[in-house]
Amino acid sequence: MIEVTRDGGCLILTLNRPDKANALTGQMLADLAEAVENATEQALILTGRGKVFSAGADLEAAREGLATDPVWERLSGAIANFPGLSIAALNGTLAGGAFGMALACDLRIAVAGAKFFYPVMKLGYLPQPSDPQRLAALIGPARAKMILMAGVKATADEALAWGLIDRISAEDTLVDEAFALAEDTLAAGADHAAAIKSMIP
């Protein structure tokens, strides 16, 4: 359910469970975390198959304890610590716990039809520990509360205006655009890319 592709110095991880809106199981999260932790590439792209990037946790798995499993933080931590450039190429809606991996990326681009929501208030769960801080750092505390507490479903245009995403892309060029954003990093030495990234708060 996770496709792993390597293109030069770029690692592309693709969620491939489109019949379930790429809902995340514990095994999928563990596979993603392991792939990022073991990556030697200079760039990382996360994307998905179908019209939804991810609906968040698989509901059955969430009821069995996945919602509070430390594997979410393991994954977002691995992405945040990735020394190269990480890009979330969001092929559709980003929901729930799937926010964590996108928020941990350096850049986020999305298709025009994407929506962004994190219904923890309605579902009675807490967000993953690192997500509120990363979300507030990107869009400010009030807008973070709009998503986490007021249940707002932000459109791609709103997400762009807020700073939650950095670009809106056409569906058929989404991954190509993400790859283009990584070109300078891929052309540089790994140490040089890591050094520049370490200088940016």
Side-chain angles (χ1 to χ4, degrees):
M1 288 181 271
I2 304 297
E3 293 179 16
V4 180
T5 309
R6 291 178 170 84
D7 189 343
C10 185
L11 174 64
I12 304 170
L13 300 176
T14 305
L15 307 181
N16 188 10
R17 200 187 180 202
D19 56 317
K20 298 291 186 181
N22 290 326
L24 297 159
T25 65
Q27 188 60 57
M28 290 171 72
L29 291 164
D31 289 347
L32 287 165
E34 184 175 359
V36 177
E37 289 164 350
N38 293 329
T40 57
E41 288 79 10
Q42 290 163 239
L44 167 67
I45 295 173
L46 295 175
T47 192
R49 299 283 180 207
K51 297 294 185 181
V52 176
F53 173 73
S54 178
D58 177 90
L59 287 179
E60 184 175 340
R63 285 192 288 267
E64 293 175 357
L66 182 61
T68 57
D69 194 293
V71 69
W72 299 95
E73 285 290 293
R74 177 188 169 197
L75 173 56
S76 62
I79 295 169
N81 292 325
F82 179 73
L85 183 66
S86 56
I87 303 168
L90 303 169
N91 55 294
T93 291
L94 172 67
F99 255 80
M101 68 178 87
L103 291 171
C105 285
D106 300 311
L107 303 174
R108 284 152 296 281
I109 63 175
V111 299
K115 298 257 190 321
F116 302 83
F117 60 99
Y118 201 148
V120 282
M121 188 64 75
K122 179 185 286 188
L123 296 176
Y125 296 116
L126 290 174
Q128 301 307 317
S130 296
D131 292 355
Q133 293 93 334
R134 291 192 177 115
L135 183 60
L138 286 173
I139 66 176
R143 286 170 176 160
K145 289 169 187 172
M146 286 179 70
I147 289 176
L148 293 173
M149 301 184 74
V152 166
K153 291 185 178 181
T155 64
D157 286 337
E158 287 174 318
L160 181 63
W162 292 356
L164 180 56
I165 60 174
D166 304 296
R167 276 189 186 169
I168 295 175
S169 171
E171 291 182 22
D172 57 348
T173 59
L174 177 68
V175 174
D176 288 340
E177 186 165 341
F179 200 89
L181 289 169
E183 283 182 349
D184 281 5
T185 296
L186 293 171
D191 290 345
H192 186 57
I196 289 177
K197 183 170 177 176
S198 71
M199 298 172 73
I200 303 170

